[in-house]
């Protein structure tokens, strides 16, 4: 990957995922096949993002800051489970060819908005502060090495 700061890389990924979800919402009542494609890219990307955070970013921050139990990463992990539940509910509708998942979509957007804001304003800058350049490079390398299958089994959803 690059030697960009963690905050830059992860904010960019949030923005990329937001754009995919918007594309799903815009297309779903016009071209369901296209909307499905956008949704699946969003789902896979979000699961990958969460695996990167939970398996690489958060443990590193917990190790370097000495804050694990009851800290912000614990809150973020709990929110990931709620995000995963919404994702699953929308996915069920997408699989059934049903575009009427507006309520779950609103809930997911609300969850992601506050979750991403907390990460972008507090957690990511704090991670950048507690890691060295070498540690950051090792984290990007570790992100690359996680096998794809891990992203598909995230958020309690076993479906491909
Ligand atoms: Fe997160
Ligand atoms: Fe994030």
């Amino acid at each position: 990957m690059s030697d960009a700061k963690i905050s830059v890389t992860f904010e960019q990924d949030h923005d990329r995922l937001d754009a995919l979800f918007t594309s799903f919402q815009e297309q779903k009542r016009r071209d369901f096949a296209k909307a499905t494609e956008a949704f699946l890219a969003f789902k896979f990307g979000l699961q990958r993002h969460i695996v990167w955070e939970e398996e690489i970013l958060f443990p590193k921050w917990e190790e370097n800051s000495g804050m694990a139990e009851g800290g912000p990463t614990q809150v973020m992990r709990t929110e990931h489970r709620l995000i995963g539940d919404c994702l699953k509910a929308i996915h069920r509708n997408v699989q059934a060819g049903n575009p009427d998942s507006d309520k779950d979509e609103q809930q997911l957007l609300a969850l992601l908005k506050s979750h991403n804001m907390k990460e972008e304003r507090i957690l990511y800058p704090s991670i950048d502060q507690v890691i060295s350049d070498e540690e950051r490079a090792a984290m990007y390398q570790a992100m690359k090495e996680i096998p794809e299958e891990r992203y598909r089994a995230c958020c309690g959803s076993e479906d491909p």
Side-chain angles (χ1 to χ4, degrees):
M1 221 162 270
S2 67
D3 29 85
K5 285 182 170 183
I6 291 292
S7 52
V8 171
T9 303
F10 277 74
E11 277 185 44
Q12 277 174 359
D13 206 36
H14 285 170
D15 293 343
R16 190 184 72 85
L17 293 168
D18 285 347
L20 283 170
F21 196 71
T22 301
S23 155
F24 159 67
Q25 289 191 301
E26 284 173 356
Q27 307 271 6
K28 68 176 188 169
R29 290 194 169 89
R30 286 186 243 153
D31 183 341
F32 203 78
K34 243 189 177 162
T36 301
E37 217 174 278
F39 178 79
L40 292 178
F42 167 78
K43 182 176 182 287
F44 178 79
L46 181 56
Q47 290 175 178
R48 181 174 69 172
H49 184 98
I50 288 174
V51 168
W52 282 343
E53 290 182 342
E54 295 197 353
E55 297 193 7
I56 294 161
L57 259 59
F58 296 176
K60 192 65 186 165
W61 186 82
E62 287 160 2
E63 187 190 325
N64 288 17
S65 71
M67 211 190 288
E69 288 291 304
T73 47
Q74 202 183 339
V75 178
M76 294 300 103
R77 288 177 202 272
T78 304
E79 291 184 1
H80 285 167
R81 298 291 83 75
L82 300 174
I83 289 166
D85 289 344
C86 277
L87 200 54
K88 222 172 162 181
I90 301 165
H91 189 215
R92 271 196 294 268
N93 271 46
V94 169
Q95 282 176 313
N98 177 5
D100 299 324
S101 51
D102 303 71
K103 217 178 143 205
D104 289 314
E105 290 164 34
Q106 287 320 308
Q107 204 185 336
L108 180 63
L109 284 175
L111 279 169
L112 279 176
K113 194 178 174 200
S114 89
H115 179 83
N116 291 353
M117 200 158 69
K118 281 178 271 188
E119 288 182 339
E120 291 178 14
R121 289 195 186 161
I122 302 162
L123 194 57
Y124 297 158
S126 172
I127 291 172
D128 280 320
Q129 271 180 358
V130 300
I131 58 170
S132 65
D133 290 350
E134 292 72 28
E135 283 176 313
R136 192 178 57 229
M139 286 159 79
Y140 282 136
Q141 187 55 36
M143 280 159 59
K144 251 198 258 176
E145 285 169 7
I146 295 180
E148 271 201 12
E149 296 78 59
R150 291 285 302 110
Y151 311 143
R152 301 188 189 279
C154 182
C155 308
S157 68
E158 307 77 28
D159 36 35

